[in-house]
Amino acid sequence: MERMRRLRVSPAVRSMVREHHVRTEELVYPVFVIEGQNICRPVESMPGICQYSLDRLPEELNRVTGARIPAVLLFGIPAHKDETGSGAYDADGIIPKAIRLIKSEERYQNLVVIADVCLCEYTSHGHCGLVKDGVILNDETLPLLAQAAVSYAAAGADMVAPSDMMDGRVGAIRSALDGNGFSHIPIMAYSAKFASAFYGPFRDAAHSAPGFGDRKTYQMDPANGREAMREIRADLLEGADIIIAKPAMAYADIIREASARFGVPVAAYNVSGEYAMVKAAAANGWLDEKKTVMEILTGLKRAGASMIITYHALDAAKWIWEEERKNL
Ligand code: PBG
């Protein structure tokens, strides 16, 4: 008889046959930076996550590098929003300033700085592209996204990550980067990004909720897996180096299929609502936070993720380190 339990007999044997591991080297930690002074403002719907002004940002970055997390994904909250989201592509906007600050410090030399590229945090209407008569314009938005990417690269970003979901943005960004001497800067594209309820807490954190309507004319319908593969293929043909599937937990099939089909690194974005659910349940004593988080992250690895963008990264890195030390 096949006896599956033979290899489950002890922690040592179980760890010998374990197929997947979450490694700190594969985690990316999102960080919110905001204009102003002496700000470390907790995001209510995301316990443990704060918005940082530039003078307080090093506190958070020291935790990141101390935990040996290799990369941060930066989101900016400007002092002023306008119709065209000019804070996103201003060479002296919050993100270029944050990047220059990080890159000027010796201690962050090895930190991979990924800059999110989108207009929604910077537009008065909260949409990811330009708006005319209630319609989100596609091609008119592309040069602005490209300009944002170039200004982040010029400030010293190691990668750019367009999350706007306009058609053709990866190609526009690639050619603008190439034309400005940044052909070496990779694009991590939010390729399979769904119009999801799980982004709710992020929109509190980034002040980016759409002022009218929703994002369904540019983000994908959660029902569509085949279409996700078309989005990914299009972005790869336009020059994406890494593709993101987002959200992660309800979209593990997308991660699986993309990693099997395209042979490029797939990043799973374990988004704000997924984080908030776990934190809320754990705070009530309904879930064991550590076990739940590690199970989620392991599941995303098993699905085929090469890296995981997660608000749990600092905690997960600590837990991974504790487990390793226990086994020494
Ligand atoms: C902005 C953007 C969003 C997220 C990342 N970039 C929000 C949105 O599309 O509304 C969501 C991240 C999260 O929920 O953690 N385009």
Side-chain angles (χ1 to χ4, degrees), residues 23-75:
R23 301 186 314 142
T24 303
E25 297 94 303
E26 298 156 342
L27 300 178
V28 177
Y29 187 59
V31 174
F32 298 97
V33 287
I34 187 164
E35 289 279 8
Q37 286 278 315
N38 195 23
I39 299 171
C40 166
R41 185 180 300 142
V43 179
E44 208 177 318
S45 51
M46 300 175 73
I49 301 296
C50 294
Q51 302 166 330
Y52 291 93
S53 55
L54 295 182
D55 54 331
R56 300 285 300 270
L57 182 60
E59 292 166 29
E60 184 79 324
L61 296 177
N62 292 345
R63 283 189 280 272
V64 173
T65 52
R68 296 181 177 275
I69 294 166
V72 288
L73 175 58
L74 295 183
F75 294 96

Short mmCIF file of all heavy atoms in Angstrom, two decimals, residues 23-75:
data_model
loop_
_atom_site.label_atom_id
_atom_site.label_comp_id
_atom_site.label_asym_id
_atom_site.label_seq_id
_atom_site.Cartn_x
_atom_site.Cartn_y
_atom_site.Cartn_z
N ARG A 23 11.72 32.37 0.73
CA ARG A 23 13.03 32.93 1.08
C ARG A 23 12.93 34.45 1.17
O ARG A 23 12.26 35.08 0.35
CB ARG A 23 14.07 32.53 0.03
CG ARG A 23 14.21 31.00 -0.12
CD ARG A 23 15.36 30.64 -1.05
NE ARG A 23 15.33 31.44 -2.27
CZ ARG A 23 16.40 31.91 -2.89
NH1 ARG A 23 17.61 31.65 -2.42
NH2 ARG A 23 16.28 32.62 -3.99
N THR A 24 13.62 35.01 2.12
CA THR A 24 13.62 36.46 2.29
C THR A 24 14.09 37.16 1.01
O THR A 24 13.61 38.24 0.67
CB THR A 24 14.53 36.84 3.48
OG1 THR A 24 14.03 36.16 4.63
CG2 THR A 24 14.52 38.33 3.74
N GLU A 25 15.01 36.52 0.31
CA GLU A 25 15.56 37.11 -0.93
C GLU A 25 14.51 37.33 -2.01
O GLU A 25 14.77 38.01 -3.00
CB GLU A 25 16.64 36.20 -1.55
CG GLU A 25 17.85 35.99 -0.68
CD GLU A 25 17.74 34.72 0.16
OE1 GLU A 25 16.76 34.60 0.94
OE2 GLU A 25 18.62 33.88 0.02
N GLU A 26 13.33 36.71 -1.83
CA GLU A 26 12.30 36.83 -2.87
C GLU A 26 11.18 37.79 -2.47
O GLU A 26 10.17 37.88 -3.16
CB GLU A 26 11.69 35.44 -3.13
CG GLU A 26 12.72 34.47 -3.65
CD GLU A 26 12.37 33.02 -3.37
OE1 GLU A 26 11.51 32.75 -2.50
OE2 GLU A 26 12.95 32.16 -4.03
N LEU A 27 11.36 38.48 -1.38
CA LEU A 27 10.29 39.36 -0.89
C LEU A 27 10.54 40.81 -1.32
O LEU A 27 11.68 41.28 -1.36
CB LEU A 27 10.20 39.30 0.64
CG LEU A 27 9.91 37.92 1.23
CD1 LEU A 27 9.91 37.99 2.76
CD2 LEU A 27 8.59 37.35 0.72
N VAL A 28 9.46 41.47 -1.64
CA VAL A 28 9.51 42.91 -1.97
C VAL A 28 8.54 43.60 -1.01
O VAL A 28 7.40 43.17 -0.85
CB VAL A 28 9.07 43.16 -3.43
CG1 VAL A 28 9.06 44.66 -3.73
CG2 VAL A 28 9.95 42.41 -4.41
N TYR A 29 9.01 44.69 -0.40
CA TYR A 29 8.20 45.38 0.61
C TYR A 29 7.71 46.73 0.07
O TYR A 29 8.52 47.59 -0.29
CB TYR A 29 9.05 45.60 1.86
CG TYR A 29 8.31 46.15 3.04
CD1 TYR A 29 7.22 45.48 3.57
CD2 TYR A 29 8.71 47.34 3.64
CE1 TYR A 29 6.54 45.99 4.67
CE2 TYR A 29 8.03 47.85 4.74
CZ TYR A 29 6.95 47.17 5.25
OH TYR A 29 6.29 47.67 6.33
N PRO A 30 6.39 46.94 0.01
CA PRO A 30 5.86 48.23 -0.45
C PRO A 30 6.03 49.31 0.62
O PRO A 30 5.81 49.05 1.80
CB PRO A 30 4.37 47.95 -0.67
CG PRO A 30 4.20 46.47 -0.60
CD PRO A 30 5.31 45.97 0.27
N VAL A 31 6.42 50.50 0.20
CA VAL A 31 6.62 51.61 1.14
C VAL A 31 5.92 52.86 0.59
O VAL A 31 6.05 53.19 -0.59
CB VAL A 31 8.13 51.89 1.32
CG1 VAL A 31 8.35 53.14 2.19
CG2 VAL A 31 8.83 50.69 1.97
N PHE A 32 5.18 53.53 1.48
CA PHE A 32 4.45 54.75 1.10
C PHE A 32 5.22 55.98 1.58
O PHE A 32 5.48 56.11 2.78
CB PHE A 32 3.06 54.75 1.73
CG PHE A 32 2.20 53.60 1.27
CD1 PHE A 32 2.08 52.45 2.03
CD2 PHE A 32 1.54 53.66 0.05
CE1 PHE A 32 1.31 51.37 1.60
CE2 PHE A 32 0.76 52.59 -0.40
CZ PHE A 32 0.65 51.45 0.38
N VAL A 33 5.55 56.86 0.66
CA VAL A 33 6.23 58.09 1.05
C VAL A 33 5.32 59.29 0.77
O VAL A 33 4.62 59.34 -0.24
CB VAL A 33 7.59 58.28 0.33
CG1 VAL A 33 8.61 57.31 0.89
CG2 VAL A 33 7.47 58.12 -1.16
N ILE A 34 5.34 60.23 1.70
CA ILE A 34 4.41 61.36 1.63
C ILE A 34 5.17 62.66 1.83
O ILE A 34 6.17 62.70 2.56
CB ILE A 34 3.30 61.18 2.71
CG1 ILE A 34 2.20 62.24 2.57
CG2 ILE A 34 3.87 61.18 4.14
CD1 ILE A 34 0.93 61.88 3.31
N GLU A 35 4.70 63.72 1.17
CA GLU A 35 5.31 65.04 1.36
C GLU A 35 5.05 65.52 2.78
O GLU A 35 4.01 65.19 3.36
CB GLU A 35 4.71 66.06 0.38
CG GLU A 35 5.11 65.87 -1.07
CD GLU A 35 6.48 66.45 -1.41
OE1 GLU A 35 7.22 66.87 -0.49
OE2 GLU A 35 6.80 66.47 -2.62
N GLY A 36 5.94 66.31 3.33
CA GLY A 36 5.75 66.85 4.67
C GLY A 36 6.94 66.53 5.55
O GLY A 36 7.96 66.04 5.07
N GLN A 37 6.78 66.86 6.83
CA GLN A 37 7.88 66.72 7.80
C GLN A 37 7.43 65.87 8.95
O GLN A 37 6.29 66.00 9.42
CB GLN A 37 8.24 68.12 8.35
CG GLN A 37 8.99 69.00 7.37
CD GLN A 37 10.46 68.68 7.38
OE1 GLN A 37 11.06 68.52 8.43
NE2 GLN A 37 11.06 68.56 6.20
N ASN A 38 8.33 65.05 9.43
CA ASN A 38 8.11 64.31 10.67
C ASN A 38 6.79 63.52 10.68
O ASN A 38 6.07 63.51 11.66
CB ASN A 38 8.15 65.28 11.86
CG ASN A 38 8.30 64.53 13.17
OD1 ASN A 38 8.78 63.40 13.19
ND2 ASN A 38 7.87 65.15 14.25
N ILE A 39 6.51 62.88 9.54
CA ILE A 39 5.27 62.11 9.45
C ILE A 39 5.58 60.62 9.45
O ILE A 39 6.44 60.13 8.70
CB ILE A 39 4.48 62.45 8.16
CG1 ILE A 39 4.09 63.92 8.15
CG2 ILE A 39 3.24 61.56 8.04
CD1 ILE A 39 3.51 64.40 6.83
N CYS A 40 4.88 59.91 10.33
CA CYS A 40 4.88 58.46 10.30
C CYS A 40 3.44 58.13 10.64
O CYS A 40 3.08 57.97 11.81
CB CYS A 40 5.85 57.93 11.35
SG CYS A 40 5.64 56.19 11.69
N ARG A 41 2.58 58.18 9.64
CA ARG A 41 1.14 58.13 9.87
C ARG A 41 0.61 56.72 9.60
O ARG A 41 0.67 56.23 8.47
CB ARG A 41 0.43 59.13 8.95
CG ARG A 41 -1.07 59.22 9.19
CD ARG A 41 -1.72 60.23 8.26
NE ARG A 41 -1.18 61.56 8.42
CZ ARG A 41 -0.97 62.41 7.41
NH1 ARG A 41 -1.24 62.05 6.16
NH2 ARG A 41 -0.47 63.60 7.65
N PRO A 42 0.11 56.06 10.65
CA PRO A 42 -0.39 54.70 10.46
C PRO A 42 -1.59 54.67 9.50
O PRO A 42 -2.44 55.56 9.55
CB PRO A 42 -0.83 54.27 11.86
CG PRO A 42 -0.15 55.21 12.80
CD PRO A 42 0.02 56.51 12.05
N VAL A 43 -1.63 53.68 8.66
CA VAL A 43 -2.78 53.47 7.78
C VAL A 43 -3.76 52.59 8.54
O VAL A 43 -3.44 51.45 8.87
CB VAL A 43 -2.34 52.77 6.46
CG1 VAL A 43 -3.55 52.55 5.56
CG2 VAL A 43 -1.28 53.60 5.76
N GLU A 44 -4.93 53.14 8.83
CA GLU A 44 -5.85 52.47 9.75
C GLU A 44 -6.25 51.08 9.30
O GLU A 44 -6.30 50.14 10.09
CB GLU A 44 -7.09 53.34 9.90
CG GLU A 44 -7.78 53.16 11.23
CD GLU A 44 -8.98 54.09 11.36
OE1 GLU A 44 -8.88 55.28 10.96
OE2 GLU A 44 -10.01 53.61 11.84
N SER A 45 -6.49 50.93 8.01
CA SER A 45 -6.96 49.64 7.51
C SER A 45 -5.81 48.67 7.23
O SER A 45 -6.05 47.55 6.78
CB SER A 45 -7.78 49.85 6.24
OG SER A 45 -7.05 50.66 5.33
N MET A 46 -4.57 49.10 7.50
CA MET A 46 -3.42 48.21 7.30
C MET A 46 -2.51 48.28 8.53
O MET A 46 -1.45 48.91 8.49
CB MET A 46 -2.65 48.64 6.04
CG MET A 46 -3.48 48.60 4.78
SD MET A 46 -2.57 49.24 3.34
CE MET A 46 -1.44 47.90 3.05
N PRO A 47 -2.92 47.62 9.62
CA PRO A 47 -2.14 47.73 10.86
C PRO A 47 -0.67 47.37 10.63
O PRO A 47 -0.37 46.35 9.99
CB PRO A 47 -2.81 46.69 11.78
CG PRO A 47 -4.19 46.52 11.23
CD PRO A 47 -4.08 46.73 9.75
N GLY A 48 0.21 48.22 11.13
CA GLY A 48 1.65 47.96 10.95
C GLY A 48 2.25 48.73 9.78
O GLY A 48 3.46 48.80 9.64
N ILE A 49 1.38 49.32 8.94
CA ILE A 49 1.87 50.04 7.76
C ILE A 49 1.65 51.55 7.98
O ILE A 49 0.60 51.97 8.43
CB ILE A 49 1.13 49.59 6.48
CG1 ILE A 49 1.33 48.08 6.25
CG2 ILE A 49 1.57 50.40 5.27
CD1 ILE A 49 2.74 47.64 5.98
N CYS A 50 2.68 52.33 7.62
CA CYS A 50 2.59 53.79 7.79
C CYS A 50 2.98 54.50 6.50
O CYS A 50 3.66 53.93 5.65
CB CYS A 50 3.57 54.25 8.87
SG CYS A 50 3.17 53.64 10.51
N GLN A 51 2.55 55.75 6.44
CA GLN A 51 3.08 56.66 5.42
C GLN A 51 4.25 57.40 6.06
O GLN A 51 4.11 57.87 7.19
CB GLN A 51 2.02 57.69 5.02
CG GLN A 51 0.74 57.10 4.50
CD GLN A 51 -0.37 58.15 4.46
OE1 GLN A 51 -0.41 59.10 5.26
NE2 GLN A 51 -1.29 57.98 3.53
N TYR A 52 5.34 57.53 5.33
CA TYR A 52 6.53 58.18 5.88
C TYR A 52 6.89 59.43 5.09
O TYR A 52 6.94 59.38 3.85
CB TYR A 52 7.73 57.23 5.84
CG TYR A 52 7.60 56.08 6.80
CD1 TYR A 52 7.06 54.87 6.38
CD2 TYR A 52 7.97 56.22 8.13
CE1 TYR A 52 6.91 53.82 7.27
CE2 TYR A 52 7.82 55.18 9.03
CZ TYR A 52 7.28 53.98 8.59
OH TYR A 52 7.13 52.95 9.47
N SER A 53 7.18 60.51 5.82
CA SER A 53 7.80 61.65 5.15
C SER A 53 9.29 61.31 4.98
O SER A 53 9.80 60.40 5.63
CB SER A 53 7.61 62.92 5.98
OG SER A 53 8.09 62.74 7.29
N LEU A 54 9.95 62.06 4.10
CA LEU A 54 11.32 61.68 3.74
C LEU A 54 12.27 61.65 4.94
O LEU A 54 13.14 60.79 5.04
CB LEU A 54 11.86 62.62 2.66
CG LEU A 54 11.14 62.53 1.32
CD1 LEU A 54 11.78 63.47 0.31
CD2 LEU A 54 11.11 61.11 0.78
N ASP A 55 12.05 62.59 5.89
CA ASP A 55 12.96 62.61 7.04
C ASP A 55 12.78 61.40 7.96
O ASP A 55 13.69 61.04 8.70
CB ASP A 55 12.78 63.93 7.83
CG ASP A 55 11.33 64.18 8.23
OD1 ASP A 55 10.42 63.72 7.52
OD2 ASP A 55 11.11 64.82 9.27
N ARG A 56 11.60 60.76 7.90
CA ARG A 56 11.36 59.58 8.74
C ARG A 56 11.54 58.28 7.98
O ARG A 56 11.54 57.19 8.58
CB ARG A 56 9.92 59.63 9.31
CG ARG A 56 9.63 60.85 10.17
CD ARG A 56 10.26 60.77 11.55
NE ARG A 56 9.82 59.64 12.35
CZ ARG A 56 8.76 59.65 13.18
NH1 ARG A 56 8.06 60.75 13.32
NH2 ARG A 56 8.42 58.59 13.89
N LEU A 57 11.69 58.38 6.66
CA LEU A 57 11.78 57.17 5.82
C LEU A 57 12.92 56.23 6.23
O LEU A 57 12.74 55.00 6.22
CB LEU A 57 11.93 57.60 4.35
CG LEU A 57 12.00 56.50 3.30
CD1 LEU A 57 10.74 55.64 3.31
CD2 LEU A 57 12.20 57.12 1.90
N PRO A 58 14.09 56.76 6.62
CA PRO A 58 15.18 55.86 6.99
C PRO A 58 14.82 54.87 8.11
O PRO A 58 15.32 53.75 8.11
CB PRO A 58 16.30 56.82 7.43
CG PRO A 58 16.06 58.04 6.59
CD PRO A 58 14.57 58.16 6.54
N GLU A 59 13.92 55.25 9.02
CA GLU A 59 13.51 54.30 10.09
C GLU A 59 13.00 53.01 9.47
O GLU A 59 13.36 51.91 9.88
CB GLU A 59 12.35 54.89 10.91
CG GLU A 59 12.69 56.07 11.75
CD GLU A 59 11.43 56.79 12.25
OE1 GLU A 59 10.38 56.15 12.44
OE2 GLU A 59 11.52 58.01 12.45
N GLU A 60 12.14 53.19 8.48
CA GLU A 60 11.53 52.02 7.84
C GLU A 60 12.57 51.28 6.98
O GLU A 60 12.64 50.06 6.99
CB GLU A 60 10.34 52.49 6.99
CG GLU A 60 9.54 51.38 6.33
CD GLU A 60 8.57 50.68 7.29
OE1 GLU A 60 8.91 50.53 8.47
OE2 GLU A 60 7.48 50.28 6.82
N LEU A 61 13.37 52.05 6.26
CA LEU A 61 14.37 51.42 5.38
C LEU A 61 15.39 50.62 6.20
O LEU A 61 15.86 49.57 5.75
CB LEU A 61 15.09 52.47 4.54
CG LEU A 61 14.21 53.23 3.57
CD1 LEU A 61 15.04 54.29 2.85
CD2 LEU A 61 13.53 52.31 2.56
N ASN A 62 15.71 51.11 7.40
CA ASN A 62 16.65 50.37 8.24
C ASN A 62 16.07 49.03 8.67
O ASN A 62 16.78 48.03 8.76
CB ASN A 62 17.04 51.18 9.47
CG ASN A 62 17.88 52.40 9.09
OD1 ASN A 62 18.40 52.48 7.97
ND2 ASN A 62 18.01 53.34 10.02
N ARG A 63 14.75 49.02 8.90
CA ARG A 63 14.10 47.74 9.22
C ARG A 63 14.18 46.80 8.02
O ARG A 63 14.40 45.60 8.17
CB ARG A 63 12.64 47.96 9.63
CG ARG A 63 12.47 48.49 11.05
CD ARG A 63 11.00 48.48 11.47
NE ARG A 63 10.25 49.61 10.95
CZ ARG A 63 10.14 50.79 11.56
NH1 ARG A 63 10.73 50.98 12.73
NH2 ARG A 63 9.45 51.77 11.02
N VAL A 64 14.00 47.35 6.83
CA VAL A 64 14.00 46.53 5.61
C VAL A 64 15.39 45.93 5.38
O VAL A 64 15.53 44.72 5.18
CB VAL A 64 13.58 47.38 4.39
CG1 VAL A 64 13.74 46.60 3.10
CG2 VAL A 64 12.13 47.85 4.56
N THR A 65 16.40 46.77 5.43
CA THR A 65 17.76 46.25 5.18
C THR A 65 18.21 45.35 6.33
O THR A 65 18.85 44.33 6.12
CB THR A 65 18.78 47.38 4.94
OG1 THR A 65 18.68 48.31 6.03
CG2 THR A 65 18.50 48.13 3.65
N GLY A 66 17.80 45.73 7.56
CA GLY A 66 18.13 44.89 8.72
C GLY A 66 17.53 43.50 8.61
O GLY A 66 18.12 42.52 9.06
N ALA A 67 16.36 43.40 7.98
CA ALA A 67 15.70 42.10 7.79
C ALA A 67 16.23 41.37 6.56
O ALA A 67 15.79 40.27 6.26
CB ALA A 67 14.19 42.30 7.67
N ARG A 68 17.14 42.00 5.85
CA ARG A 68 17.73 41.45 4.62
C ARG A 68 16.72 41.29 3.49
O ARG A 68 16.84 40.42 2.63
CB ARG A 68 18.44 40.11 4.88
CG ARG A 68 19.62 40.26 5.82
CD ARG A 68 20.31 38.93 6.04
NE ARG A 68 21.48 39.12 6.88
CZ ARG A 68 22.69 39.48 6.42
NH1 ARG A 68 22.89 39.67 5.15
NH2 ARG A 68 23.68 39.64 7.25
N ILE A 69 15.69 42.12 3.51
CA ILE A 69 14.76 42.16 2.38
C ILE A 69 15.45 42.94 1.27
O ILE A 69 15.96 44.04 1.52
CB ILE A 69 13.44 42.84 2.81
CG1 ILE A 69 12.73 41.95 3.84
CG2 ILE A 69 12.54 43.11 1.61
CD1 ILE A 69 11.61 42.63 4.57
N PRO A 70 15.51 42.38 0.06
CA PRO A 70 16.34 43.01 -0.96
C PRO A 70 15.73 44.23 -1.65
O PRO A 70 16.47 45.03 -2.21
CB PRO A 70 16.53 41.89 -1.99
CG PRO A 70 15.32 41.02 -1.82
CD PRO A 70 14.95 41.08 -0.37
N ALA A 71 14.40 44.37 -1.60
CA ALA A 71 13.78 45.38 -2.47
C ALA A 71 12.60 46.07 -1.83
O ALA A 71 11.84 45.45 -1.06
CB ALA A 71 13.33 44.71 -3.77
N VAL A 72 12.43 47.34 -2.17
CA VAL A 72 11.22 48.08 -1.80
C VAL A 72 10.51 48.53 -3.07
O VAL A 72 11.14 48.76 -4.11
CB VAL A 72 11.52 49.32 -0.92
CG1 VAL A 72 11.94 48.91 0.48
CG2 VAL A 72 12.56 50.23 -1.56
N LEU A 73 9.18 48.62 -2.96
CA LEU A 73 8.36 49.16 -4.05
C LEU A 73 7.77 50.46 -3.53
O LEU A 73 7.03 50.47 -2.56
CB LEU A 73 7.24 48.15 -4.38
CG LEU A 73 6.20 48.56 -5.40
CD1 LEU A 73 6.83 48.90 -6.75
CD2 LEU A 73 5.18 47.43 -5.59
N LEU A 74 8.16 51.57 -4.16
CA LEU A 74 7.79 52.89 -3.64
C LEU A 74 6.50 53.43 -4.25
O LEU A 74 6.31 53.41 -5.48
CB LEU A 74 8.89 53.90 -3.94
CG LEU A 74 10.26 53.71 -3.27
CD1 LEU A 74 11.17 54.89 -3.65
CD2 LEU A 74 10.12 53.60 -1.75
N PHE A 75 5.62 53.93 -3.36
CA PHE A 75 4.42 54.65 -3.77
C PHE A 75 4.48 56.06 -3.18
O PHE A 75 4.86 56.21 -2.01
CB PHE A 75 3.16 53.95 -3.24
CG PHE A 75 2.93 52.59 -3.84
CD1 PHE A 75 3.35 51.45 -3.18
CD2 PHE A 75 2.32 52.46 -5.08
CE1 PHE A 75 3.15 50.20 -3.74
CE2 PHE A 75 2.12 51.21 -5.65
CZ PHE A 75 2.53 50.07 -4.98
#
